Amino acid sequence: MKQPHYRPQLKSNELFYCLVIFGQIFMAFLLIATATRQLTPLFFALLFFDGFLAATYLEYHHHRFMSHKKAYDQDSFVFNRHRNHHVHPGDIRVTMKQRIIMLLICCVVCLAAVYLNNYFTLLAGFIFGASYSFISHWMLHQPWVKKLFPRLLRFHIYHHSKSPNTCFGVSCPWWDILFDTVPPRELPLTNKIIDLYFTKDKLVEMEQNNHS
């Protein structure tokens, strides 16, 4: 799926605006958690969600302001890898072994957070969010995910096809909704586009066989 990889006419204050809004939301949850420290379950839940929230925003921020920024270094490894993924949507470079390792680390950190029951929970929530981001991206390129996350899948297909300058969130859609980077409603997704999105070309299959 070849389409413009850059975000045109990026306003200089968009990045700052997004950071400020995220910072206010993050601090609000942190302050509420601090105020409810005596209520252990609520304190833990708020901190964990705040860390998870930070991971999802980092995913959105990196995708929108770095991977799709015209002024970004086009010779960098990160940029070229992301561009390759747009050209070959089925080419996911995070292996199953790496996903399992991430899950194990996530489990250990979350158990430690439960035991410590302090602000370490923020880190646990962040690592959980980062792990979920990698795993959900892989899931969004599997046909069976249509029934599990229909809206998230629709957003991701838009990003890979008709509207690459929208839908920067991978694991969740709320930052796109908040910052108005959702696709236009009048853009239809045809069966041909959906089939092409899930089709692995020969180049991808060859590279995956070489890594297996």
Side-chain angles (χ1 to χ4, degrees), residues 4-71:
H5 186 67
Y6 310 115
R7 178 165 174 77
Q9 299 178 345
L10 179 65
K11 297 179 181 179
S12 59
N13 62 344
E14 285 184 350
L15 187 151
F16 179 73
Y17 170 77
C18 291
L19 280 173
V20 169
I21 296 299
F22 161 71
Q24 291 176 340
I25 296 173
F26 179 84
M27 289 305 300
F29 275 102
L30 185 60
L31 291 172
I32 295 172
T34 301
T36 59
R37 188 163 188 175
Q38 301 304 318
L39 304 173
T40 301
L42 183 60
F43 174 72
F44 182 90
L46 287 171
L47 286 179
F48 190 87
F49 180 75
D50 210 17
F52 174 79
L53 200 69
T56 61
Y57 176 76
L58 179 62
E59 166 198 277
Y60 175 89
H61 184 97
H62 181 272
H63 195 183
R64 178 180 178 181
F65 296 110
M66 296 182 71
S67 297
H68 282 262
K69 188 177 179 183
K70 191 171 183 179

Side-chain angles (χ1 to χ4, degrees), residues 7 14 17-18 21-22 25 53 56-65 68 140 151-160 163-184:
R7 178 165 174 77
E14 285 184 350
Y17 170 77
C18 291
I21 296 299
F22 161 71
I25 296 173
L53 200 69
T56 61
Y57 176 76
L58 179 62
E59 166 198 277
Y60 175 89
H61 184 97
H62 181 272
H63 195 183
R64 178 180 178 181
F65 296 110
H68 282 262
L140 288 175
R151 185 182 192 184
L152 207 55
L153 175 62
R154 182 169 58 87
F155 271 33
H156 202 59
I157 295 177
Y158 272 122
H159 179 74
H160 269 279
S163 191
N165 298 317
T166 63
C167 305
F168 298 106
V170 177
S171 58
C172 61
W174 53 53
W175 297 114
D176 284 302
I177 295 171
L178 180 62
F179 297 130
D180 195 25
T181 51
V182 295

Side-chain angles (χ1 to χ4, degrees), residues 12-198:
S12 59
N13 62 344
E14 285 184 350
L15 187 151
F16 179 73
Y17 170 77
C18 291
L19 280 173
V20 169
I21 296 299
F22 161 71
Q24 291 176 340
I25 296 173
F26 179 84
M27 289 305 300
F29 275 102
L30 185 60
L31 291 172
I32 295 172
T34 301
T36 59
R37 188 163 188 175
Q38 301 304 318
L39 304 173
T40 301
L42 183 60
F43 174 72
F44 182 90
L46 287 171
L47 286 179
F48 190 87
F49 180 75
D50 210 17
F52 174 79
L53 200 69
T56 61
Y57 176 76
L58 179 62
E59 166 198 277
Y60 175 89
H61 184 97
H62 181 272
H63 195 183
R64 178 180 178 181
F65 296 110
M66 296 182 71
S67 297
H68 282 262
K69 188 177 179 183
K70 191 171 183 179
Y72 192 54
D73 182 4
Q74 298 182 30
D75 294 325
S76 74
F77 171 76
V78 174
F79 181 88
N80 286 317
R81 187 167 182 172
H82 188 74
R83 180 168 55 186
N84 176 75
H85 177 58
H86 268 259
V87 176
H88 308 290
D91 189 6
I92 308 292
R93 298 293 177 96
V94 180
T95 65
M96 182 59 67
K97 181 179 179 181
Q98 291 170 326
R99 294 188 193 99
I100 292 174
I101 292 173
M102 282 190 293
L103 280 175
L104 291 175
I105 293 174
C106 183
C107 289
V108 170
V109 172
C110 287
L111 287 174
V114 172
Y115 175 77
L116 294 172
N117 191 32
N118 56 24
Y119 289 95
F120 181 79
T121 306
L122 271 173
L123 177 62
F126 183 86
I127 292 177
F128 175 83
S131 302
Y132 174 66
S133 175
F134 282 105
I135 293 172
S136 63
H137 189 206
W138 170 78
M139 290 194 301
L140 288 175
H141 286 273
Q142 311 306 314
W144 49 263
V145 83
K146 296 177 183 178
K147 295 182 179 180
L148 195 60
F149 300 117
R151 185 182 192 184
L152 207 55
L153 175 62
R154 182 169 58 87
F155 271 33
H156 202 59
I157 295 177
Y158 272 122
H159 179 74
H160 269 279
S161 56
K162 289 197 169 188
S163 191
N165 298 317
T166 63
C167 305
F168 298 106
V170 177
S171 58
C172 61
W174 53 53
W175 297 114
D176 284 302
I177 295 171
L178 180 62
F179 297 130
D180 195 25
T181 51
V182 295
R185 292 184 178 181
E186 63 270 14
L187 279 179
L189 286 178
T190 64
N191 290 331
K192 183 178 180 180
I193 291 175
I194 296 173
D195 291 341
L196 181 61
Y197 170 82
F198 284 116

